[in-house]
Amino acid sequence: QSSVTLFGVVDVNARQVKNGDTKQTQLGTDGLSSSRLGFRGVEDLGGGLKAGFWLESQVQADGGTANATRFWHRRATVSLMGSFGEVRLGRQLDPSYNAWGAYDTFNTNGLADLGSLVSVLGSGADTKSRIDNGVNYILPSNLGGFYGEVAAAPGEGTAGKKYIGTRLGYAAGPVDVSLGYGQTDASLSTDDKLKVLSLAASYDLKVVKLFGAVVQSKYLSQKQRVSHVGVIVPVSTAGKFRVSFANSNLSGTSTTGASVDANDANQFALGYIHSLSKRTELYTTYAQIKNKGSSALSVATVNGYTIKAGDKSRGLEFGVKHSF
Amino acid sequence: QSSVTLFGVVDVNARQVKNGDTKQTQLGTDGLSSSRLGFRGVEDLGGGLKAGFWLESQVQADGGTANATRFWHRRATVSLMGSFGEVRLGRQLDPSYNAWGAYDTFNTNGLADLGSLVSVLGSGADTKSRIDNGVNYILPSNLGGFYGEVAAAPGEGTAGKKYIGTRLGYAAGPVDVSLGYGQTDASLSTDDKLKVLSLAASYDLKVVKLFGAVVQSKYLSQKQRVSHVGVIVPVSTAGKFRVSFANSNLSGTSTTGASVDANDANQFALGYIHSLSKRTELYTTYAQIKNKGSSALSVATVNGYTIKAGDKSRGLEFGVKHSF
Amino acid sequence: QSSVTLFGVVDVNARQVKNGDTKQTQLGTDGLSSSRLGFRGVEDLGGGLKAGFWLESQVQADGGTANATRFWHRRATVSLMGSFGEVRLGRQLDPSYNAWGAYDTFNTNGLADLGSLVSVLGSGADTKSRIDNGVNYILPSNLGGFYGEVAAAPGEGTAGKKYIGTRLGYAAGPVDVSLGYGQTDASLSTDDKLKVLSLAASYDLKVVKLFGAVVQSKYLSQKQRVSHVGVIVPVSTAGKFRVSFANSNLSGTSTTGASVDANDANQFALGYIHSLSKRTELYTTYAQIKNKGSSALSVATVNGYTIKAGDKSRGLEFGVKHSF
């Protein structure tokens, strides 16, 4: 009687991570795509109107855990859809994240996740990728290639939660480009905001697909610009290489007044995906981050070792991603 | 091969709540019906005997959370059913709650939840609506309109858990009336009990449906009587209004010896429901609670503000409820 | 579109447990089989290759809870399967547990769980039955009755997690026998290991099925040998008795240097299962543990009473197990 679609991903890999001089063998998850279990459905209400729901839980298959604080971490929404577009209420991805996340050559997952570089600059913002209590309006899909969304979330008395943001884009033929902006109130008592502006694009030449993104974040007197370029190269019907490079450029001063100009980092990644079917893929990824100044970013955590300023971080993973 | 029914509700609303002089805009859930995800099934064992299971999880779609301590908060049971009725084991709604909850004009949900008034009077009882470790016997449905259930739960060494209760009712044509009683051991070392007695009824005149309930709770030398009247008025095939009034009347003395006679409260609520389909409804509810004496009840919490004795609490919500 | 199988068990019982002189009436779970909810699927990749996933959550139906720290406590894996066997990645049962757990007359569940006797000897090993971050290779099923698996888990910087183990067995006609070995690193700084060696068998004579197992655990200078014999006797098409006896024999000295030679225990259990269908069973089990020396094992916990050295522990449960 109910029209529910049950879907999910289980993506597990074996990997070795080395931060500084400390190496660790691990089983990791989500090298290619985020492991999840979800339930969704759409009801046709007639007259072009539809209602839908979407519940999506994060799965950490290596250790059998779910998200400890938000079981429906990935998405919990109800929607009304029609010729006007979609109004979507609940926890969900936010537009200013989608605006650059969709152009990460490594799909914001695994050792080469572009999100490893993008910082909230000490603002405490809890909106880097998703918002709680979100109201999102999404444009309809028939606007001649133009698309967009605008979302807001009330703070509900918690710092780092109040958000407003938008994404506007254009996709036609090989081109897909989008512009995003989002701002999050860092404090209940001041007007201090984390502001994230991004421009990103992909261009699909079939023999290669190119990716590029610039994400600029500002908080108080600190600024970060993350630049990303990458390419996916299909080499057979089943196989494709991925290569990406990204740079994090900090400038200004931190909340303690110290200059952050020297604290930059470079990320380089190389990967290969072999499809066994549409639903099942094998993959390998090598990624490294070179930290400068007091930057201490990593491709993944080495348990028991806190990465130090200037440490190099490297990792290599081999995995299986199965979706259902 | 398995005969499982997957079902659920996602109900999210935008609302404004004002407690005392502090106003807050929020995304809320469960204005019309409790958000949930469930799995249930029935197996025919032959000879009129059936076995069934029911697992039902609470969903808080606004922030993507589940119940932090009891994932299957709403229900986790196994049942044997036959001409004798049903024996149901596990966590479940208790009879003395069903006996009045089923007659709340606002369905014990949202800003106008009648349960906001009903107190456990400082007894620490964890049985207001549901019991852990419950054994419930439910009468068969062919008793000429009479129905009933009786349930018990062992304390298992925890105060506020040991429960025994019953509900007896009669439903025929437009009339549905039931009587409930439940008692919960407040302590492991004394015989002190929270006792809840209720009488409630609904009468469906088609042009309007009337609701009435009286819930009387006693603990030590404190007594509460909650009285509720309400009406649902269909105004079109798709629309209906809901109006309710409820009063909480405290008497006697609290555990500190202070008189509670003055600590009464009144709840008033007005709502409208517009059905887009059987499964999808839009709704709006306005509710207010006027606190007297040191009563400090609220229609909903304003994060960061603790409601004070005598504060007025008001809220207005607009929402979508989608079931599947 | 997706080929997911939803499955589970809800097993709830009413029981009385008496530890020492303290008796408690409880609702318990898992007297016959572990309550669970799971999702699994297999995809045919062609050429004899298959991919599969398995997510299985623990359900505690009496109180409506799930496992608080690992939602997918029972299993979270992705697999590749072919003529070579199966490679399975993620959280899962470990081979050295399977090697004796599969031969417990009471199915490692309920008051008579053989696992109540098997100790990790203070090693802190978190691998008694399952491993996090497991890589498991399972032999194919066409080896003339021989079967086996070998698994490893990296420690990932946490003591008690690093594991390697194997199970080798032979099953043909009425006979099933297996040998298991597993070792777990107890510490990050030393080479101290918990080592578990087992030999177990079952023999199905149709009129009775016999079970036997010996599990020998070693940690530092302490050794435990658990011996188990049992029998299942079908007495009708629907009914069968189960009887088992087990002994825990400790020897050597504990980490504090004290002799543990006297701290033995005996477990005796008697049960009956009545099948209402393939999916639904009623059962009753009586079990007792007699503790000697400073042994303080129990058939189940009595909340509010910590069992003392030498206490006798007894329990009787009546339950329903329904699978779907």
Side-chain angles (χ1 to χ4, degrees):
Chain A
Q1 49 273 54
S2 86
S3 57
V4 178
T5 299
L6 204 164
F7 65 97
V9 171
V10 183
D11 178 338
V12 183
N13 56 63
R15 69 187 187 194
Q16 198 158 53
V17 180
K18 189 174 176 189
N19 288 346
D21 292 326
T22 307
K23 208 187 279 193
Q24 192 166 78
T25 301
Q26 304 177 341
L27 221 70
T29 55
D30 305 354
L32 202 54
S33 183
S34 299
S35 297
R36 72 194 75 176
L37 176 70
F39 306 87
R40 65 170 186 253
V42 173
E43 181 194 12
D44 196 329
L45 298 166
L49 202 62
K50 290 175 182 175
F53 79 98
W54 192 302
L55 295 172
E56 190 175 320
S57 176
Q58 183 183 27
V59 172
Q60 286 146 331
D62 55 347
T65 55
N67 190 287
T69 50
R70 283 191 202 91
F71 187 79
W72 303 107
H73 168 77
R74 295 184 53 79
R75 184 165 162 189
T77 58
V78 61
S79 291
L80 285 177
M81 295 158 276
S83 57
F84 59 87
E86 176 179 352
V87 175
R88 188 186 291 172
L89 306 177
R91 178 167 171 83
Q92 54 191 300
L93 287 166
D94 62 56
S96 51
Y97 177 75
N98 287 336
W100 62 264
Y103 305 87
D104 177 5
T105 312
F106 281 82
N107 193 32
T108 61
N109 270 292
L111 298 175
D113 182 358
L114 182 57
S116 301
L117 296 193
V118 177
S119 170
V120 297
L121 302 174
S123 65
D126 187 30
T127 57
K128 186 176 167 185
S129 57
R130 288 175 173 85
I131 45 175
D132 286 337
N133 307 306
V135 178
N136 194 358
Y137 167 65
I138 301 158
L139 288 174
S141 57
N142 59 355
L143 301 178
F146 289 96
Y147 60 86
E149 54 177 325
V150 53
E156 297 196 2
T158 305
K161 293 271 195 184
K162 190 174 178 181
Y163 172 90
I164 186 160
T166 188
R167 174 191 183 186
L168 292 169
Y170 175 79
V175 175
D176 184 358
V177 55
S178 72
L179 179 71
Y181 177 72
Q183 64 180 42
T184 305
D185 287 25
S187 161
L188 296 177
S189 54
T190 70
D191 259 349
D192 298 337
K193 287 177 174 58
L194 173 71
K195 298 178 181 181
V196 180
L197 178 70
S198 68
L199 180 64
S202 66
Y203 196 89
D204 193 349
L205 295 162
K206 301 298 173 194
V207 292
V208 296
K209 186 172 180 181
L210 306 172
F211 296 86
V214 178
V215 186
Q216 185 170 297
S217 307
K218 278 179 77 172
Y219 178 61
L220 301 175
S221 49
Q222 199 175 170
K223 202 160 93 174
Q224 183 192 38
R225 193 180 61 232
V226 172
S227 313
H228 166 82
V229 290
V231 60
I232 295 182
V233 187
V235 290
S236 68
T237 46
K240 52 189 175 187
F241 280 97
R242 303 192 289 181
V243 187
S244 78
F245 177 79
N247 167 263
S248 161
N249 190 324
L250 279 176
S251 56
T253 52
S254 73
T255 49
T256 63
S259 166
V260 298
D261 289 354
N263 308 337
D264 298 341
N266 288 325
Q267 181 197 51
F268 167 75
L270 173 66
Y272 182 73
I273 301 173
H274 177 80
S275 299
L276 296 173
S277 76
K278 280 199 169 179
R279 291 170 45 199
T280 306
E281 294 169 295
L282 305 177
Y283 64 88
T284 180
T285 301
Y286 169 78
Q288 64 175 41
I289 292 178
K290 285 192 181 167
N291 291 297
K292 298 173 192 169
S294 62
S295 176
L297 303 174
S298 65
V299 297
T301 301
V302 167
N303 302 310
Y305 177 78
T306 304
I307 193 164
K308 291 188 187 68
D311 268 355
K312 190 175 172 185
S313 173
R314 286 140 291 175
L316 176 64
E317 63 193 359
F318 296 88
V320 188
K321 179 218 125 187
H322 177 68
S323 59
F324 54 95
Chain B
Q1 48 276 56
S2 86
S3 58
V4 178
T5 299
L6 204 165
F7 66 96
V9 171
V10 182
D11 178 339
V12 183
N13 56 62
R15 69 188 186 192
Q16 197 159 53
V17 180
K18 189 174 174 188
N19 288 346
D21 292 327
T22 306
K23 207 186 280 193
Q24 194 166 77
T25 300
Q26 304 177 341
L27 222 69
T29 54
D30 305 355
L32 202 55
S33 183
S34 299
S35 297
R36 73 195 71 177
L37 177 70
F39 306 88
R40 65 171 186 251
V42 172
E43 180 193 12
D44 196 329
L45 298 167
L49 201 63
K50 290 174 184 178
F53 79 98
W54 193 300
L55 295 171
E56 190 176 319
S57 176
Q58 182 183 28
V59 172
Q60 285 147 331
D62 54 347
T65 55
N67 191 288
T69 50
R70 284 190 200 92
F71 188 78
W72 304 105
H73 168 77
R74 295 184 53 79
R75 185 165 160 187
T77 59
V78 62
S79 292
L80 285 178
M81 295 157 278
S83 57
F84 60 85
E86 176 178 351
V87 175
R88 189 186 291 173
L89 306 177
R91 177 166 172 84
Q92 54 191 299
L93 287 165
D94 63 54
S96 50
Y97 178 75
N98 287 336
W100 62 265
Y103 305 88
D104 177 5
T105 311
F106 282 82
N107 192 31
T108 61
N109 269 293
L111 298 175
D113 182 1
L114 182 58
S116 301
L117 296 193
V118 177
S119 170
V120 297
L121 302 173
S123 66
D126 187 30
T127 58
K128 186 177 165 183
S129 57
R130 289 176 172 85
I131 45 175
D132 285 338
N133 306 306
V135 178
N136 193 358
Y137 167 66
I138 302 158
L139 289 174
S141 57
N142 59 355
L143 302 177
F146 289 95
Y147 60 86
E149 52 178 325
V150 53
E156 298 196 1
T158 305
K161 293 272 197 184
K162 190 174 179 182
Y163 171 90
I164 187 159
T166 188
R167 175 192 184 186
L168 292 169
Y170 176 79
V175 174
D176 184 358
V177 55
S178 74
L179 180 73
Y181 176 73
Q183 64 180 42
T184 306
D185 288 24
S187 163
L188 297 176
S189 54
T190 70
D191 259 347
D192 298 336
K193 287 177 174 59
L194 172 71
K195 298 178 181 180
V196 180
L197 177 70
S198 69
L199 180 65
S202 65
Y203 196 89
D204 194 348
L205 295 162
K206 302 298 173 195
V207 292
V208 297
K209 185 173 181 182
L210 307 172
F211 296 86
V214 178
V215 186
Q216 187 171 294
S217 306
K218 279 178 78 172
Y219 178 61
L220 302 176
S221 49
Q222 198 175 174
K223 202 159 93 175
Q224 184 193 37
R225 193 180 61 233
V226 172
S227 313
H228 166 80
V229 289
V231 60
I232 294 181
V233 187
V235 290
S236 68
T237 46
K240 53 188 175 187
F241 280 97
R242 304 191 289 181
V243 187
S244 78
F245 177 78
N247 167 261
S248 160
N249 190 324
L250 279 175
S251 56
T253 54
S254 74
T255 49
T256 64
S259 166
V260 298
D261 290 353
N263 308 337
D264 299 340
N266 288 324
Q267 182 196 50
F268 167 75
L270 174 65
Y272 182 74
I273 301 173
H274 177 80
S275 300
L276 296 174
S277 76
K278 279 198 170 181
R279 291 171 44 200
T280 304
E281 293 169 296
L282 306 178
Y283 63 89
T284 180
T285 301
Y286 169 78
Q288 64 176 40
I289 293 178
K290 284 191 183 170
N291 291 297
K292 297 172 193 171
S294 63
S295 176
L297 303 173
S298 64
V299 297
T301 301
V302 168
N303 301 311
Y305 176 76
T306 305
I307 193 164
K308 291 189 186 71
D311 268 355
K312 190 174 170 185
S313 174
R314 286 140 292 176
L316 177 65
E317 64 192 0
F318 295 88
V320 187
K321 179 217 127 187
H322 177 68
S323 59
F324 54 92
Chain C
Q1 51 274 56
S2 87
S3 58
V4 178
T5 299
L6 203 164
F7 65 98
V9 171
V10 183
D11 178 339
V12 183
N13 56 61
R15 68 188 187 192
Q16 198 159 51
V17 180
K18 189 175 175 187
N19 288 346
D21 292 326
T22 306
K23 208 187 277 191
Q24 193 166 78
T25 300
Q26 304 176 340
L27 221 71
T29 55
D30 305 354
L32 202 55
S33 184
S34 299
S35 297
R36 72 193 76 176
L37 177 70
F39 306 87
R40 64 170 187 252
V42 173
E43 180 194 11
D44 196 329
L45 298 167
L49 202 62
K50 290 175 184 177
F53 79 98
W54 192 302
L55 296 171
E56 191 176 319
S57 176
Q58 183 183 26
V59 172
Q60 286 147 331
D62 55 347
T65 54
N67 190 289
T69 50
R70 284 191 200 91
F71 187 80
W72 303 106
H73 168 77
R74 294 184 53 81
R75 184 164 161 189
T77 59
V78 61
S79 291
L80 285 178
M81 294 158 278
S83 57
F84 60 87
E86 176 178 351
V87 175
R88 188 186 291 174
L89 305 177
R91 177 165 172 84
Q92 54 191 301
L93 286 165
D94 63 55
S96 50
Y97 177 76
N98 287 336
W100 61 264
Y103 304 88
D104 177 4
T105 312
F106 282 82
N107 193 31
T108 62
N109 270 292
L111 297 174
D113 182 359
L114 182 58
S116 301
L117 296 193
V118 177
S119 170
V120 296
L121 301 174
S123 66
D126 187 29
T127 58
K128 186 176 166 184
S129 57
R130 289 176 172 85
I131 46 175
D132 286 337
N133 306 307
V135 178
N136 193 0
Y137 167 66
I138 302 158
L139 290 174
S141 56
N142 59 354
L143 302 178
F146 289 96
Y147 60 87
E149 52 177 327
V150 53
E156 298 196 3
T158 305
K161 294 272 195 185
K162 190 174 179 182
Y163 171 91
I164 187 160
T166 187
R167 175 192 184 185
L168 292 169
Y170 176 78
V175 174
D176 184 358
V177 55
S178 73
L179 179 72
Y181 177 72
Q183 63 179 44
T184 305
D185 288 24
S187 162
L188 296 176
S189 55
T190 71
D191 259 348
D192 299 336
K193 288 177 174 57
L194 172 72
K195 298 177 180 181
V196 180
L197 178 70
S198 69
L199 179 65
S202 66
Y203 196 89
D204 193 348
L205 296 163
K206 300 298 172 194
V207 293
V208 296
K209 186 171 180 181
L210 307 171
F211 296 86
V214 177
V215 187
Q216 186 170 295
S217 306
K218 278 179 79 171
Y219 179 60
L220 301 175
S221 48
Q222 199 174 172
K223 201 160 95 173
Q224 183 193 38
R225 193 180 60 233
V226 172
S227 313
H228 167 81
V229 289
V231 60
I232 295 181
V233 187
V235 290
S236 68
T237 46
K240 53 188 176 188
F241 280 96
R242 303 191 289 181
V243 188
S244 78
F245 177 79
N247 166 262
S248 160
N249 190 324
L250 279 176
S251 56
T253 53
S254 74
T255 48
T256 64
S259 167
V260 298
D261 289 353
N263 308 337
D264 298 341
N266 287 326
Q267 181 197 50
F268 168 75
L270 174 65
Y272 182 73
I273 300 172
H274 177 80
S275 299
L276 296 173
S277 76
K278 279 199 169 178
R279 291 170 44 200
T280 305
E281 293 170 295
L282 305 178
Y283 63 89
T284 180
T285 301
Y286 169 78
Q288 64 176 40
I289 293 178
K290 285 190 182 170
N291 291 298
K292 298 171 191 170
S294 63
S295 176
L297 302 174
S298 64
V299 298
T301 302
V302 167
N303 302 311
Y305 177 77
T306 304
I307 192 164
K308 292 189 186 69
D311 269 354
K312 191 174 170 184
S313 174
R314 287 140 292 175
L316 176 65
E317 64 191 359
F318 295 89
V320 188
K321 179 217 126 188
H322 177 69
S323 59
F324 53 94

